[in-house]
Amino acid sequence: MEALKPPDTTRAQSRARWKQDPEGVRSNILAVALTEFAENGLSGARIDEIAAKTRTSKRMIYYYFGDKDGLYRKVLEEAYREVRAGEEELQLDHLEPAEALRRLAEFTFDHHRRNPNFIRLVMIENIHHGAYLAHSDLIRQLNETAISRVEAIYRKGVTSGIFRDDLTPLAIHWQISALSFFNVSNRMSFSLLFGEELYSEDGQERLRAQAAEMVVRYVTALKQALR
Amino acid sequence: MEALKPPDTTRAQSRARWKQDPEGVRSNILAVALTEFAENGLSGARIDEIAAKTRTSKRMIYYYFGDKDGLYRKVLEEAYREVRAGEEELQLDHLEPAEALRRLAEFTFDHHRRNPNFIRLVMIENIHHGAYLAHSDLIRQLNETAISRVEAIYRKGVTSGIFRDDLTPLAIHWQISALSFFNVSNRMSFSLLFGEELYSEDGQERLRAQAAEMVVRYVTALKQALR
DNA sequence: TGACAAATTAACCAAATGGTACATAACTGC
DNA sequence: GCAGTTATGTACCATTTGGTTAATTTGTCA
């Protein structure tokens, strides 16, 4: 009943000639795994599937990442790193606070929109009660940057009297995040239930402007509202 | 090599005496499955695990629901049904529009907060691109109710001149949903990254009031803002 | 009361899935 | 050009997992 195995010559031939490329292999695996995890969740993603879409073999995944959890963890960090890279540019210091806040909200909105895979990973993390998120300094650091950006703007606005003074940077960040995140995370249910109009180019532009205006209006001191 | 099986007497004894209870079994399975799916996702939930937490056996799951997908679908609908039951009470007709809108926003915020399992299922649905959501009339119906509620209030407010007239009920619903949904869906990542303060009783009350105020301010016509 | 349908149990199964053992080719430093 | 280390491919394995088979009990109705 033993299946015939191809003679050694064939085998040797098929595996002969290849170049070593540790970094390439590693990053190739990460890239594939990122989309697979984002697409299917932690338990939904299949190692075999990931391996198949890789230019190498399953063996390499375990060689570099140990096990599925290890791979997932690295994917999370990689995703954060990528997202972070796209966040550097923003320069708001020279703007007056209201305009700076509007820009920040719009930027966040766009930024989330540009990184749906990342959003999906965060969703997945939340479903898993953030078990992995909790242990990443990198990630904590990234979010603190976000907060300080809000804080700088908010301070300036309060000082100059155009912002109300009873809010916290954390709450403002929360609100901006909520509107930007939800836009991506719940896209499917919303468009399935209410049609695509909110997610056309026009619709998105409107939502973006509305979200930003909402935040700015909210933070603006009432006596300033009619200026 | 055949394992000894207990004699028929024992076996007959152990399985003897039970009452039929189709509805009980069915709903028991649904309840267990609801929390399991909400907790672990579609692929993360294990049929064996669900069965174990049930007062019946795995076989019954297949007997009543066909397969895992079938079970999941019914769970989704069941969750919607439950959530919907909690939505009936709200009576806003007698209030003036701004107050009605505030109440609606607060209600939605609370309602989402009270139904975390449901929120989690919607998150899971979105990760799966809403494949199941898409086919449920029940669910579509439920959301249309939500929209019409917003619409009624918004119309009244525009007519009486205290609301601006350049918005759509859909967008307003979207904003209320975003703030309410995010509060539950991203709770873990937020409290892990920024501490529990936003999720203490006080913090939640503040977020709730802020979300509602945000919406009301946004919808209010500017010339009305200082009245 | 007995036959037929519905409900339920216990044991079993094939495929999928995460993970490994082993052999060997490529690279590195001497 | 060779010894030792790193990287890689192939084949394989144990367990988990969704799903099924077959038997048995309970309920129903002519």
Side-chain angles (χ1 to χ4, degrees):
Chain A
M1 282 312 261
E2 187 73 8
L4 261 294
K5 279 164 197 160
D8 274 3
T9 50
T10 311
R11 189 165 144 193
Q13 202 176 38
S14 82
R15 65 154 68 179
R17 301 308 118 202
W18 46 274
K19 272 213 82 157
Q20 285 190 190
D21 180 17
E23 269 324 299
V25 167
R26 230 187 107 93
S27 67
N28 178 228
I29 292 173
L30 271 181
V32 173
L34 171 56
T35 71
E36 285 296 306
F37 279 124
E39 196 62 24
N40 306 301
L42 174 49
S43 40
R46 301 294 166 217
I47 292 280
D48 285 297
E49 190 64 23
I50 294 173
K53 295 185 178 171
T54 288
R55 86 165 100 94
T56 57
S57 64
K58 183 159 73 157
R59 178 68 185 78
M60 288 291 90
I61 295 174
Y62 290 96
Y63 185 69
Y64 284 118
F65 301 99
D67 59 8
K68 197 181 183 183
D69 265 31
L71 177 59
Y72 176 70
R73 236 170 295 216
K74 292 296 182 193
V75 161
L76 248 193
E77 296 222 330
E78 174 62 17
Y80 256 97
R81 224 185 303 270
E82 278 176 26
V83 164
R84 190 183 194 182
E87 261 191 350
E88 304 293 350
E89 330 135 12
L90 201 60
Q91 266 304 336
L92 301 170
D93 302 339
H94 61 293
L95 298 172
E96 51 112 10
E99 181 58 19
L101 188 60
R102 160 170 280 111
R103 291 274 185 90
L104 178 61
E106 290 177 346
F107 173 82
T108 306
F109 191 92
D110 289 340
H111 193 247
H112 281 54
R113 220 183 137 202
R114 267 198 309 273
N115 293 280
N117 273 349
F118 172 70
I119 300 292
R120 295 170 68 83
L121 286 179
V122 175
M123 292 167 74
I124 291 164
E125 264 305 281
N126 272 288
I127 284 174
H128 292 283
H129 304 283
Y132 299 90
L133 252 180
H135 301 84
S136 174
D137 287 338
L138 188 82
I139 292 173
R140 178 167 281 109
Q141 193 185 333
L142 176 58
N143 281 82
E144 263 149 31
T145 309
I147 287 280
S148 11
R149 213 151 30 189
V150 174
E151 188 166 15
I153 297 172
Y154 180 60
R155 273 235 180 89
K156 230 167 110 183
V158 170
T159 305
S160 74
I162 67 164
F163 286 170
R164 53 200 282 192
D165 63 1
D166 59 342
L167 302 177
T168 67
L170 180 55
I172 298 171
H173 173 65
W174 186 95
Q175 286 148 357
I176 294 174
S177 296
L179 296 166
S180 303
F181 194 97
F182 182 85
N183 183 53
V184 182
S185 68
N186 287 50
R187 165 175 190 153
M188 277 304 155
S189 51
F190 247 80
S191 45
L192 283 170
L193 293 172
F194 302 113
E196 291 284 333
E197 48 175 313
L198 289 178
Y199 292 93
S200 64
E201 257 321 301
D202 275 13
Q204 283 288 287
E205 209 146 311
R206 240 173 289 136
L207 277 184
R208 184 179 99 126
Q210 289 176 342
E213 195 194 337
M214 206 168 168
V215 173
V216 172
R217 270 209 199 191
Y218 178 63
V219 176
T220 301
L222 264 188
K223 60 187 174 202
Q224 296 292 331
L226 294 189
R227 285 280 169 82
Chain B
M1 281 315 263
E2 188 73 10
L4 259 293
K5 279 164 195 160
D8 274 3
T9 51
T10 311
R11 191 164 144 193
Q13 203 175 38
S14 83
R15 64 155 67 177
R17 301 309 117 200
W18 44 273
K19 272 214 82 154
Q20 286 190 187
D21 180 16
E23 270 323 300
V25 167
R26 231 187 107 93
S27 67
N28 178 227
I29 292 173
L30 270 181
V32 173
L34 171 56
T35 70
E36 285 296 306
F37 279 125
E39 196 61 26
N40 306 302
L42 173 49
S43 41
R46 300 293 166 219
I47 292 278
D48 285 298
E49 189 66 21
I50 294 173
K53 294 185 177 170
T54 289
R55 88 165 99 94
T56 57
S57 64
K58 181 160 73 157
R59 180 66 184 79
M60 288 291 89
I61 295 175
Y62 290 96
Y63 185 68
Y64 284 119
F65 301 98
D67 58 9
K68 196 182 185 182
D69 265 30
L71 177 59
Y72 176 72
R73 236 170 294 215
K74 293 295 183 193
V75 161
L76 248 193
E77 295 222 331
E78 174 63 17
Y80 254 98
R81 223 184 305 270
E82 279 177 26
V83 164
R84 189 183 195 183
E87 262 191 348
E88 305 292 352
E89 331 135 12
L90 202 60
Q91 266 305 338
L92 300 171
D93 301 341
H94 60 293
L95 297 172
E96 52 114 7
E99 182 58 18
L101 188 59
R102 161 170 279 112
R103 291 273 186 91
L104 178 61
E106 289 176 346
F107 173 83
T108 306
F109 191 92
D110 290 340
H111 193 247
H112 281 53
R113 219 182 139 204
R114 267 198 309 273
N115 294 280
N117 273 350
F118 172 69
I119 300 292
R120 295 169 68 82
L121 285 179
V122 175
M123 292 167 74
I124 291 165
E125 262 307 281
N126 273 287
I127 285 174
H128 292 283
H129 304 282
Y132 299 90
L133 253 180
H135 300 84
S136 174
D137 286 338
L138 188 81
I139 292 173
R140 177 167 281 111
Q141 194 184 329
L142 177 57
N143 282 82
E144 263 149 30
T145 308
I147 287 280
S148 13
R149 212 150 32 192
V150 174
E151 188 165 14
I153 297 171
Y154 180 60
R155 272 235 180 90
K156 230 167 109 181
V158 171
T159 304
S160 74
I162 68 165
F163 286 169
R164 54 200 282 192
D165 62 359
D166 58 343
L167 302 176
T168 68
L170 180 54
I172 299 171
H173 173 64
W174 186 95
Q175 284 147 0
I176 294 174
S177 296
L179 296 164
S180 303
F181 194 98
F182 182 85
N183 183 52
V184 182
S185 68
N186 286 50
R187 164 175 191 154
M188 276 304 154
S189 51
F190 247 80
S191 44
L192 283 170
L193 293 171
F194 302 112
E196 291 284 332
E197 49 175 314
L198 290 178
Y199 291 93
S200 66
E201 256 322 302
D202 275 13
Q204 283 288 287
E205 209 145 312
R206 240 171 291 137
L207 276 184
R208 184 180 98 125
Q210 289 176 344
E213 196 194 336
M214 208 168 164
V215 172
V216 172
R217 270 210 200 189
Y218 178 64
V219 176
T220 300
L222 264 188
K223 58 187 176 207
Q224 296 292 333
L226 294 189
R227 284 279 171 82

